[in-house]
Amino acid sequence: MTAAGRANVTLRDVATAVGISQSAVSMALADHPRISEPTKQAVRAAAARLGYVPNSAGRTLRAGRSTSIAMVVPQTGQHVFGHPYFMHLLVGVTAEANARDATLMVSTNPDETHGVAAYERVLRSQAASGAIVASASISDPNVKRMVDATLPVVLVGRFAQLPHAASVGVDEIAGAAAITRHLVRDHGLTRIAHISGPLDHQTAVDRYEGFRGALADSGRPCTHTLAVGDFNEESGRECARQVLDSMADLQAIFAANDEMAYGAMLEIRSRGLRIPEDIALAGYDDFGVSRLTTPGITTVRVPAQALGRKAATVLFDLLGGTAPDPAHTVLPFDLVIRDSCGSHPDRTAAGDGPVASPAPDHRSPDRGE
């Protein structure tokens, strides 16, 4: 086998040859006491036969020396560092990297036309021991390239087409369903518009699916319309303009994030309409803007900082050979009730109000394995 061929052999290849998990292979190669001697011998034999070269990052990590990891976001730097979701995510990743005395690289695209630059920079440089990939579209082939490379990778979000990849996320379908049920069941709203994010992103698809599913399961004659936004304030206002013009007797707008909900709020008020008396409003994320408006915006709280920290933890576990195979972790969300969706007689109208702990079917379980 050529040197190039040897370099392309991955831990997964060895695991498949032996019939055990990747983490077990990693522990066997590290002579971990939990792995039996016959299994260690089988792993070493398969690695030698295939020409597997152990990842130096794992050896560095196990030896207690510092390492470098990358966070790959295939968006422009202006988008990444100007969006609260990424800043919360980055805080979480940074906290875990600092705790491990690791260096963090952030790789973004220089502009909208260079969709592969963020990936290529990390793959070519070989400066990072592993990578976290966030905000990739469903159709982005570079995500699979990263997962199939010898570099350990953790994805932030749901990637159903890559079941073998390690991932960390929130049950977006359940979150959107929870807030939709609140609008229908608790406020009797049945004519609702949804402002989604771009539907080439799984997050936007899942939130729209949760919204539609909750309407269908409500047992009430609900109608809805859809406007597709871009997760920013301007698109939220434009989409609100569309649905207000097109849907007669509109009762509520549910936006797939709080920035679009705020844009919708501006459009609603520009028409002399009141929130929630004329149009109820709900958002998603709870990264700050939703609690600063008057009225505050009812939303779903996404634990973005915890997502970043967990993604980094799983990545370090992969590097150290201790992560389950595959590692799919789903963190819980909270439904946050404020005044934009209607009055709540059990709480005061002023301030943020209490966070409503969702019922069991509203909260996604922590399925970390």
Side-chain angles (χ1 to χ4, degrees):
M1 184 177 292
T2 66
R6 293 170 65 91
N8 288 330
V9 177
T10 68
L11 201 68
R12 188 180 303 116
D13 296 325
V14 179
T16 300
V18 182
I20 59 176
S21 70
Q22 292 182 60
S23 58
V25 169
S26 182
M27 287 190 286
L29 293 173
D31 200 27
H32 197 287
R34 285 177 53 190
I35 305 301
S36 68
E37 192 57 39
T39 299
K40 290 177 183 177
Q41 292 176 4
V43 168
R44 291 167 187 150
R49 182 174 71 256
L50 295 172
Y52 172 70
V53 179
N55 187 290
S56 60
R59 294 196 301 267
T60 297
L61 198 64
R62 288 189 292 271
R65 299 192 297 274
S66 64
T67 189
S68 297
I69 62 171
M71 184 170 169
V72 178
V73 187
Q75 307 284 341
T76 65
Q78 181 179 8
H79 179 81
V80 173
F81 294 108
H83 197 288
Y85 168 72
F86 295 112
M87 298 312 297
H88 282 78
L89 196 68
L90 189 58
V91 167
V93 174
T94 301
E96 191 62 25
N98 287 339
R100 310 274 186 141
D101 192 28
T103 302
L104 174 64
M105 305 161 47
V106 179
S107 185
T108 62
N109 289 333
D111 53 54
E112 299 293 343
T113 62
H114 292 78
V116 301
Y119 301 100
E120 289 292 342
R121 190 178 298 113
V122 173
L123 289 171
R124 285 201 313 264
S125 69
Q126 299 183 345
S129 304
I132 296 166
V133 179
S135 193
S137 72
I138 299 170
S139 59
D140 189 343
N142 297 290
V143 180
K144 188 175 186 302
R145 284 182 58 215
M146 289 288 289
V147 170
D148 289 344
T150 56
L151 192 73
V153 172
V154 176
L155 307 178
V156 178
R158 187 170 77 89
F159 291 82
Q161 72 275 28
L162 297 171
H164 59 288
S167 66
V168 175
V170 170
D171 190 339
E172 308 285 8
I173 296 175
I179 203 165
T180 305
R181 279 194 294 268
H182 176 70
L183 295 174
V184 176
R185 181 186 62 199
D186 298 337
H187 294 290
L189 304 171
T190 58
R191 297 185 61 77
I192 307 174
H194 180 58
I195 301 176
S196 79
L199 294 176
D200 62 344
H201 280 70
Q202 193 66 51
T203 295
V205 172
D206 286 351
R207 292 178 186 179
Y208 181 40
E209 181 180 338
F211 166 73
R212 287 190 303 164
L215 291 182
D217 294 340
S218 69
R220 302 189 184 189
C222 296
T223 57
H224 81 278
T225 188
L226 171 69
V228 180
D230 197 26
F231 283 136
N232 59 51
E233 177 188 319
E234 293 78 12
S235 71
R237 183 160 191 172
E238 173 57 33
C239 288
R241 186 176 299 123
Q242 294 174 26
V243 300
L244 286 165
D245 288 341
S246 64
M247 190 173 185
D249 301 321
L250 180 67
Q251 295 175 316
I253 294 176
F254 166 35
N257 79 339
D258 293 338
E259 289 198 29
M260 293 194 298
Y262 179 67
M265 175 178 281
L266 296 178
E267 181 60 26
I268 292 168
R269 285 183 168 161
S270 75
R271 297 177 179 230
L273 299 173
R274 299 166 301 164
I275 300 170
E277 292 86 354
D278 299 315
I279 303 288
L281 182 65
Y284 205 109
D285 285 340
D286 199 36
F287 296 145
V289 67
S290 58
R291 69 191 71 175
L292 300 177
T293 60
T294 302
I297 299 174
T298 290
T299 189
V300 171
R301 179 170 295 159
V302 174
Q305 188 170 326
L307 283 173
R309 186 146 203 166
K310 185 63 177 180
T313 298
V314 173
L315 180 58
F316 284 116
D317 288 346
L318 285 172
L319 291 171
T322 59
D325 180 32
H328 298 304
T329 304
V330 180
L331 299 186
F333 61 83
D334 282 302
L335 178 60
V336 183
I337 306 301
R338 298 194 177 100
D339 289 325
S340 67
C341 58
S343 62
H344 299 85
D346 59 333
R347 50 163 290 231
T348 59
D352 195 25
V355 173
S357 297
D361 63 332
H362 291 186
R363 180 184 288 274
S364 58
D366 188 345
R367 296 201 298 266
E369 300 173 348

